């Protein structure tokens, strides 16, 4: 295989295209957003990720990576790697329109013998359905005239280029030969273990992984609610519980965001004829955390006799995770939505995303409360005693457990930190 097309150049597709290009393949990145295509072809990444700019420059200047919005440029490739988004609709059912449109674009232009890989996270049975769609459009026979695989991505933003190489990977083929061909292709840069299975097992595995994490976080959040009742610091309790050799409790916080964890449990449940409650309850608990954070804030207002309708609140962080500019499903935004009609003013500051204030100081000047919503490194080890001088009322709410010792002179509350 020499010629690869990567469809969708976002957080997953762009790094994947770069890895294949730098491993010596000729890669055409097909992306519907023309601004993204322009930026990539000029050697500038449109997403923030360590090492991405050097690696992208290398891929583009070697001539091995070119982005395009013209679907005709992905005709007759040896392999197609689909990395488009698979979000939820308003009603929490999957929106597979991006995936279907990408599969149609590929089906109309692939050749006999092409490999089609779906890296996007998809509901169980989707890869088999997409293979049927290609059969209908092209009259090719899946497994004979073309090969098709689900190869889920497990990388974590912030560590993508390391994890692309060292994570273990699963290749779920619609036939064993499909899995083998995909495994061989990815071995050009993957040094982690590789496993071959069916496409439906692979889809379920990916969704189980993120559902496990979501349910674990929901349990940690419920432990945090209980810890408030007993005046216990849940982080101390979790650290001690995790010294048990078979216990691994995740951490509670203001909520679960990003493009994956809040959506993947819904994808797992969607095609099932019935579901059994636990996974949905966990989702509800995690979705309720911005409201729990609001309760902490409003109980602080009450303690200090601050009328909420006169309060100015500074929200520190808009991204869903630390040192990232990704705001998809961010609990910081859900928190702002939850309070904005009940207070006088909400300001936000995020060093990666922007926000209504240009600096931390501007956000805090005259504010009645600061709420830490994202664990950016820039928010750790701040001199709160100095920053407090800018504020009208010194309330500090830690939604991410980044403050070790409550600063002097503040009314401090943290999720799971004992006091309610
Ligand atoms: N972001 C992560 O950390 C992560 C981790 C593991 C798995 N995933 C999964 O990978 C998939 C992609 O996620 P992402 O974060 O990279 O999404 P993204 O939104 O960053 O990127 C998707 C890109 O595809 C483009 N696109 C959409 N439809 C297209 C089409 N028909 N043709 C060409 N381009 C098209 C979009 O314009 C966008 O640039 C999702 O299914 C996600 O669940 C993401």
């Amino acid at each position: 295989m020499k010629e690869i097309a990567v469809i969708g150049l976002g957080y997953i597709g762009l790094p994947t295209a770069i890895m294949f290009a730098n491993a010596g393949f000729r890669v055409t990145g097909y992306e519907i957003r023309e601004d993204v295509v322009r930026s990539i072809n000029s050697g500038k990444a449109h997403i923030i990720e360590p090492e991405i700019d050097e690696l992208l420059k290398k891929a583009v200047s070697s001539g091995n990576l070119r982005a395009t919005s013209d679907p005709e440029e992905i005709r007759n490739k040896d392999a197609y790697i689909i990395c488009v988004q698979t979000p939820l609709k308003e009603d929490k059912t999957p929106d597979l329109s991006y995936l279907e449109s990408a599969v149609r674009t590929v089906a109309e232009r692939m050749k006999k013998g092409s490999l089609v890989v779906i890296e996007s996270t998809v509901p169980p049975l989707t890869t088999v359905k997409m293979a049927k769609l290609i059969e209908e459009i092209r009259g090719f026979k899946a497994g004979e005239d073309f090969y098709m695989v689900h190869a889920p991505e497990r990388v974590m933003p912030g560590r993508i280029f390391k994890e692309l190489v060292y994570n273990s990977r699963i290749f779920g083929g619609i036939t064993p030969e499909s899995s083998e061909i995909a495994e061989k292709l990815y071995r050009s840069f993957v040094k982690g273990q590789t496993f071959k299975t069916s496409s439906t097992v692979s889809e379920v595995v990916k969704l189980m992984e993120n559902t496990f994490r979501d349910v674990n976080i929901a349990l940690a959040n419920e432990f945090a609610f209980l810890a408030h009742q007993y005046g216990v610091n849940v982080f101390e309790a979790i650290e001690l519980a995790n010294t048990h050799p078979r216990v691994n409790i995740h951490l509670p916080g203001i909520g679960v965001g990003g493009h994956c964890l809040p959506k993947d449990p819904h994808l797992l449940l969607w095609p099932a004829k019935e579901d059994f409650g636990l996974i949905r309850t966990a989702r509800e608990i995690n979705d309720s955390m911005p409201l729990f954070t609001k309760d902490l804030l409003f109980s602080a207002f009450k303690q200090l006799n601050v009328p909420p309708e006169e309060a100015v609140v500074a929200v520190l962080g808009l991204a869903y995770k630390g040192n990232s500019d990704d705001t998809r499903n961010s609990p910081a935004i859900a928190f702002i939505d939850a309070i904005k009609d009940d207070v006088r003013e909400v300001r936000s500051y995020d060093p990666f995303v922007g926000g209504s204030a240009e600096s931390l100081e501007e956000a805090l000047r005259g504010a009645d409360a600061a709420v830490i919503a994202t664990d950016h490194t820039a928010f750790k080890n701040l001199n709160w005693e100095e920053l407090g001088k800018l504020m009208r009322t010194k309330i500090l709410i830690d939604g991410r457990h980044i403050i070790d010792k409550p600063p002097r002179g503040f009314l401090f509350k943290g999720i799971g930190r004992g006091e309610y």
Side-chain angles (χ1 to χ4, degrees), residues 66-84:
R66 231 186 71 74
T68 180
S69 291
D70 177 1
E72 290 316 309
E73 291 190 39
I74 58 163
R75 247 180 215 289
N76 298 325
K77 299 293 175 192
D78 300 313
Y80 294 87
I81 299 179
I82 300 178
C83 304
V84 299

mmCIF file of all heavy atoms in Angstrom, residues 66-84:
data_model
loop_
_atom_site.group_PDB
_atom_site.id
_atom_site.type_symbol
_atom_site.label_atom_id
_atom_site.label_comp_id
_atom_site.label_asym_id
_atom_site.label_seq_id
_atom_site.Cartn_x
_atom_site.Cartn_y
_atom_site.Cartn_z
ATOM 1 N N ARG A 66 -0.955 16.167 1.820
ATOM 2 C CA ARG A 66 -1.648 17.305 1.222
ATOM 3 C C ARG A 66 -3.095 17.218 1.631
ATOM 4 O O ARG A 66 -3.704 16.136 1.612
ATOM 5 C CB ARG A 66 -1.560 17.206 -0.303
ATOM 6 C CG ARG A 66 -1.051 18.470 -0.988
ATOM 7 C CD ARG A 66 -1.158 18.313 -2.494
ATOM 8 N NE ARG A 66 -2.561 18.357 -2.918
ATOM 9 C CZ ARG A 66 -3.306 19.465 -2.964
ATOM 10 N NH1 ARG A 66 -2.795 20.639 -2.629
ATOM 11 N NH2 ARG A 66 -4.557 19.419 -3.353
ATOM 12 N N ALA A 67 -3.665 18.367 2.008
ATOM 13 C CA ALA A 67 -5.087 18.368 2.354
ATOM 14 C C ALA A 67 -5.870 18.939 1.180
ATOM 15 O O ALA A 67 -5.352 19.740 0.391
ATOM 16 C CB ALA A 67 -5.299 19.216 3.601
ATOM 17 N N THR A 68 -7.137 18.516 1.079
ATOM 18 C CA THR A 68 -7.973 19.005 -0.022
ATOM 19 C C THR A 68 -9.444 18.955 0.370
ATOM 20 O O THR A 68 -9.835 18.152 1.219
ATOM 21 C CB THR A 68 -7.768 18.153 -1.299
ATOM 22 O OG1 THR A 68 -8.604 18.655 -2.335
ATOM 23 C CG2 THR A 68 -8.125 16.686 -1.064
ATOM 24 N N SER A 69 -10.230 19.823 -0.287
ATOM 25 C CA SER A 69 -11.696 19.749 -0.125
ATOM 26 C C SER A 69 -12.333 19.205 -1.390
ATOM 27 O O SER A 69 -13.550 19.206 -1.516
ATOM 28 C CB SER A 69 -12.270 21.138 0.144
ATOM 29 O OG SER A 69 -11.882 21.566 1.399
ATOM 30 N N ASP A 70 -11.484 18.767 -2.328
ATOM 31 C CA ASP A 70 -12.011 18.257 -3.596
ATOM 32 C C ASP A 70 -12.057 16.728 -3.531
ATOM 33 O O ASP A 70 -11.001 16.074 -3.548
ATOM 34 C CB ASP A 70 -11.094 18.731 -4.733
ATOM 35 C CG ASP A 70 -11.552 18.175 -6.070
ATOM 36 O OD1 ASP A 70 -12.578 17.458 -6.109
ATOM 37 O OD2 ASP A 70 -10.858 18.439 -7.072
ATOM 38 N N PRO A 71 -13.244 16.141 -3.475
ATOM 39 C CA PRO A 71 -13.329 14.678 -3.319
ATOM 40 C C PRO A 71 -12.709 13.918 -4.491
ATOM 41 O O PRO A 71 -12.318 12.762 -4.342
ATOM 42 C CB PRO A 71 -14.830 14.413 -3.212
ATOM 43 C CG PRO A 71 -15.505 15.619 -3.747
ATOM 44 C CD PRO A 71 -14.585 16.768 -3.539
ATOM 45 N N GLU A 72 -12.580 14.582 -5.643
ATOM 46 C CA GLU A 72 -11.984 13.877 -6.795
ATOM 47 C C GLU A 72 -10.528 13.505 -6.541
ATOM 48 O O GLU A 72 -9.983 12.610 -7.171
ATOM 49 C CB GLU A 72 -12.104 14.735 -8.073
ATOM 50 C CG GLU A 72 -13.539 14.840 -8.579
ATOM 51 C CD GLU A 72 -14.273 13.486 -8.565
ATOM 52 O OE1 GLU A 72 -13.726 12.508 -9.095
ATOM 53 O OE2 GLU A 72 -15.375 13.419 -7.992
ATOM 54 N N GLU A 73 -9.896 14.207 -5.584
ATOM 55 C CA GLU A 73 -8.482 13.910 -5.301
ATOM 56 C C GLU A 73 -8.282 12.647 -4.458
ATOM 57 O O GLU A 73 -7.158 12.278 -4.166
ATOM 58 C CB GLU A 73 -7.818 15.112 -4.616
ATOM 59 C CG GLU A 73 -7.673 16.279 -5.575
ATOM 60 C CD GLU A 73 -6.813 17.386 -4.995
ATOM 61 O OE1 GLU A 73 -5.808 17.094 -4.332
ATOM 62 O OE2 GLU A 73 -7.180 18.563 -5.203
ATOM 63 N N ILE A 74 -9.400 12.036 -4.051
ATOM 64 C CA ILE A 74 -9.208 10.781 -3.281
ATOM 65 C C ILE A 74 -9.668 9.554 -4.088
ATOM 66 O O ILE A 74 -10.014 8.532 -3.530
ATOM 67 C CB ILE A 74 -9.899 10.826 -1.899
ATOM 68 C CG1 ILE A 74 -11.403 11.080 -2.020
ATOM 69 C CG2 ILE A 74 -9.255 11.864 -1.001
ATOM 70 C CD1 ILE A 74 -12.166 10.719 -0.753
ATOM 71 N N ARG A 75 -9.643 9.684 -5.394
ATOM 72 C CA ARG A 75 -9.993 8.534 -6.246
ATOM 73 C C ARG A 75 -8.914 7.459 -6.194
ATOM 74 O O ARG A 75 -7.734 7.764 -6.102
ATOM 75 C CB ARG A 75 -10.121 9.008 -7.700
ATOM 76 C CG ARG A 75 -11.529 8.916 -8.187
ATOM 77 C CD ARG A 75 -11.764 9.358 -9.582
ATOM 78 N NE ARG A 75 -13.075 9.990 -9.648
ATOM 79 C CZ ARG A 75 -14.217 9.331 -9.559
ATOM 80 N NH1 ARG A 75 -14.231 8.028 -9.426
ATOM 81 N NH2 ARG A 75 -15.356 9.991 -9.585
ATOM 82 N N ASN A 76 -9.362 6.187 -6.237
ATOM 83 C CA ASN A 76 -8.453 5.028 -6.427
ATOM 84 C C ASN A 76 -7.325 4.920 -5.400
ATOM 85 O O ASN A 76 -6.204 4.591 -5.748
ATOM 86 C CB ASN A 76 -7.820 5.082 -7.835
ATOM 87 C CG ASN A 76 -8.887 4.998 -8.903
ATOM 88 O OD1 ASN A 76 -9.886 4.306 -8.718
ATOM 89 N ND2 ASN A 76 -8.695 5.719 -10.000
ATOM 90 N N LYS A 77 -7.614 5.218 -4.157
ATOM 91 C CA LYS A 77 -6.566 5.071 -3.128
ATOM 92 C C LYS A 77 -6.518 3.609 -2.652
ATOM 93 O O LYS A 77 -7.501 2.868 -2.772
ATOM 94 C CB LYS A 77 -6.851 5.988 -1.933
ATOM 95 C CG LYS A 77 -6.879 7.461 -2.295
ATOM 96 C CD LYS A 77 -5.524 7.948 -2.719
ATOM 97 C CE LYS A 77 -5.562 9.385 -3.192
ATOM 98 N NZ LYS A 77 -4.332 9.795 -3.854
ATOM 99 N N ASP A 78 -5.365 3.245 -2.069
ATOM 100 C CA ASP A 78 -5.242 1.873 -1.549
ATOM 101 C C ASP A 78 -6.020 1.724 -0.239
ATOM 102 O O ASP A 78 -6.577 0.676 0.037
ATOM 103 C CB ASP A 78 -3.759 1.548 -1.286
ATOM 104 C CG ASP A 78 -2.941 1.659 -2.558
ATOM 105 O OD1 ASP A 78 -3.379 1.114 -3.594
ATOM 106 O OD2 ASP A 78 -1.873 2.307 -2.533
ATOM 107 N N ALA A 79 -6.014 2.792 0.573
ATOM 108 C CA ALA A 79 -6.716 2.713 1.861
ATOM 109 C C ALA A 79 -7.402 4.039 2.167
ATOM 110 O O ALA A 79 -6.895 5.115 1.814
ATOM 111 C CB ALA A 79 -5.732 2.375 2.973
ATOM 112 N N TYR A 80 -8.567 3.941 2.812
ATOM 113 C CA TYR A 80 -9.337 5.123 3.250
ATOM 114 C C TYR A 80 -9.514 5.012 4.755
ATOM 115 O O TYR A 80 -9.988 3.982 5.252
ATOM 116 C CB TYR A 80 -10.707 5.150 2.565
ATOM 117 C CG TYR A 80 -10.614 5.352 1.067
ATOM 118 C CD1 TYR A 80 -10.459 4.270 0.210
ATOM 119 C CD2 TYR A 80 -10.649 6.629 0.523
ATOM 120 C CE1 TYR A 80 -10.350 4.460 -1.160
ATOM 121 C CE2 TYR A 80 -10.544 6.827 -0.845
ATOM 122 C CZ TYR A 80 -10.394 5.739 -1.679
ATOM 123 O OH TYR A 80 -10.289 5.940 -3.031
ATOM 124 N N ILE A 81 -9.159 6.068 5.460
ATOM 125 C CA ILE A 81 -9.270 6.037 6.926
ATOM 126 C C ILE A 81 -10.246 7.133 7.342
ATOM 127 O O ILE A 81 -9.970 8.327 7.149
ATOM 128 C CB ILE A 81 -7.878 6.227 7.561
ATOM 129 C CG1 ILE A 81 -7.007 5.064 7.076
ATOM 130 C CG2 ILE A 81 -7.972 6.272 9.074
ATOM 131 C CD1 ILE A 81 -5.607 5.086 7.558
ATOM 132 N N ILE A 82 -11.382 6.723 7.860
ATOM 133 C CA ILE A 82 -12.466 7.682 8.142
ATOM 134 C C ILE A 82 -12.409 8.111 9.614
ATOM 135 O O ILE A 82 -12.502 7.270 10.517
ATOM 136 C CB ILE A 82 -13.835 7.059 7.786
ATOM 137 C CG1 ILE A 82 -13.849 6.701 6.296
ATOM 138 C CG2 ILE A 82 -14.974 8.009 8.150
ATOM 139 C CD1 ILE A 82 -15.129 6.032 5.808
ATOM 140 N N CYS A 83 -12.247 9.415 9.825
ATOM 141 C CA CYS A 83 -12.074 9.955 11.194
ATOM 142 C C CYS A 83 -13.041 11.120 11.439
ATOM 143 O O CYS A 83 -12.677 12.102 12.089
ATOM 144 C CB CYS A 83 -10.649 10.462 11.387
ATOM 145 S SG CYS A 83 -9.376 9.242 11.057
ATOM 146 N N VAL A 84 -14.246 11.045 10.912
ATOM 147 C CA VAL A 84 -15.187 12.167 11.087
ATOM 148 C C VAL A 84 -15.880 12.072 12.449
ATOM 149 O O VAL A 84 -15.868 11.019 13.090
ATOM 150 C CB VAL A 84 -16.250 12.204 9.961
ATOM 151 C CG1 VAL A 84 -15.574 12.397 8.619
ATOM 152 C CG2 VAL A 84 -17.101 10.941 9.967
#
